[in-house]
Amino acid sequence: MPPLDRLSQSIAGVATARSALLDAIGDVQAGARAIDATDALCAQGHGVRARTAHRSGAPAISGAQAAARNLPTLVANYRASLTALKKSDAAVTGSRRAALQKVVTDGMSEARAVADFQAVIRTAWVQYVSLDGLELVWIKRAVTPWYRTDEEGANAYAVLVGPGRRFVTVARTQLAAASRTVRGAVTAQAATLAAADNALSGLRTPTATPTLAG
């Protein structure tokens, strides 16, 4: 395969692998937000509204569970795509090659940040899944209805969730911190990719050499 074609293939690989990785991070965060939203309504004793929120959030929660499982593979795929890019960057020279080398360096940093995010998710998501299950138990009772008032329902929910509430709080704090770290790495790599795309712009034709930023 000609060097420029190999480079083009590697660029496409990086863009595809990174996009899948960022989508997975977004899915995990969306699932956590859905569980948190239902939790807030349960805590206020709003059974019917909590049930609606839980049903609406079910696809996001399912997507988050799949993303949490897939993150290790997606990180590995991204790293492999960066390695392939490094091997093919000899197709260009000077500032173009330097720009691609920075893509690899910052991309590996981004991959490490996501791997750290994944390590947090591996434990934190257990607490989210547990909370989701307790929400469902309470919702079924609330809409039966077991509770005469919202206040009574809210108190019952506090008792139901109480033993694990501090673990949920820790999980939320960990997820928020990991998300901030990832956001910094993603922002840095986005700027690096944009600079590399600009450096490579002279090589592109309407049908060749995809962009790194997608």
Side-chain angles (χ1 to χ4, degrees):
M1 180 184 295
L4 280 177
D5 287 350
R6 186 177 298 111
L7 175 60
S8 180
Q9 186 178 74
S10 297
I11 287 172
V14 168
T16 299
R18 184 172 186 266
S19 177
L21 192 63
L22 298 188
D23 284 348
I25 293 170
D27 287 345
V28 169
Q29 293 167 333
R33 286 194 298 270
I35 293 172
D36 286 345
T38 299
D39 178 52
L41 291 170
C42 293
Q44 296 171 48
H46 301 321
V48 174
R49 289 172 58 192
R51 179 179 61 185
T52 298
H54 191 272
R55 288 173 175 173
S56 298
I61 295 168
S62 178
Q65 290 171 332
R69 289 193 304 268
N70 293 336
L71 270 172
T73 298
L74 295 174
V75 170
N77 290 345
Y78 185 42
R79 284 174 169 155
S81 73
L82 292 166
T83 298
L85 180 61
K86 183 177 181 179
K87 291 179 179 178
S88 64
D89 68 10
V92 292
T93 59
S95 61
R96 287 169 175 163
R97 189 174 186 187
L100 290 174
Q101 289 172 340
K102 185 165 174 55
V103 165
V104 173
T105 299
D106 288 359
M108 288 298 184
S109 295
E110 184 181 40
R112 283 193 296 273
V114 179
D116 290 343
F117 176 87
Q118 187 273 325
V120 169
I121 292 304
R122 188 169 57 243
T123 55
W125 190 249
V126 173
Q127 302 305 323
Y128 277 97
V129 170
S130 176
L131 180 60
D132 181 56
L134 292 174
E135 289 171 357
L136 185 57
V137 168
W138 182 85
I139 288 169
K140 288 179 178 178
R141 293 174 179 174
V143 299
T144 301
W146 278 32
Y147 315 118
R148 290 166 295 183
T149 64
D150 284 0
E151 182 179 3
E152 185 177 319
N155 290 336
Y157 183 69
V159 171
L160 179 66
V161 178
R165 175 59 77 184
R166 68 184 183 91
F167 298 112
V168 172
T169 300
V170 169
R172 284 173 173 159
T173 301
Q174 291 175 331
L175 178 57
S179 295
R180 286 193 296 271
T181 300
V182 166
R183 185 161 56 248
V186 168
T187 300
Q189 177 66 334
T192 297
L193 293 171
D197 280 335
N198 185 60
L200 295 171
S201 61
L203 295 176
R204 292 198 171 88
T205 68
T207 59
T209 317
T211 61
L212 282 155

